[in-house]
Amino acid sequence: MIYINAIGYLAAFCTTISFLPQAIKTIRTRDTSGISLLMYAIFTLGTLFWLIYGLLGNQWPVAAANAVTFVLALTILFYKIRYK
């Protein structure tokens, strides 16, 4: 079971960290012209649901990854709305 969780945490790390460059770029430049508002709104909502799913199911790799991804996606979404 520990190997399964290790794979889950590794997957969670990779998919979550992939959002960091976009978040940093968006915060620095405030340029969101290449980002779809509808896509990011739906994605952010989906990430929230994955977070809730992970918490309710005691699936900590899922919850941890989606907690961080939710914050990053929400930041990008905020910038998209604010600097439209």
Side-chain angles (χ1 to χ4, degrees):
M1 185 66 154
I2 194 164
Y3 297 112
I4 293 171
N5 281 341
I7 291 170
Y9 280 112
L10 185 58
F13 175 78
C14 290
T15 57
T16 300
I17 202 75
S18 71
F19 276 88
L20 201 52
Q22 184 66 55
I24 291 169
K25 181 179 179 184
T26 301
I27 292 166
R28 282 186 181 161
T29 66
R30 296 184 179 160
D31 178 19
T32 60
S33 60
I35 297 172
S36 165
L37 176 61
L38 181 59
M39 177 271 178
Y40 250 84
I42 294 169
F43 176 79
T44 304
L45 183 61
T47 304
L48 176 62
F49 287 137
W50 274 115
L51 169 59
I52 294 167
Y53 173 82
L55 291 172
L56 294 176
N58 291 323
Q59 297 183 19
W60 302 116
V62 174
N66 284 286
V68 175
T69 303
F70 178 70
V71 170
L72 294 174
L74 194 60
T75 300
I76 293 169
L77 183 61
F78 170 79
Y79 274 78
K80 179 64 179 175
I81 293 168
R82 173 108 192 242
Y83 299 106
K84 189 169 184 182

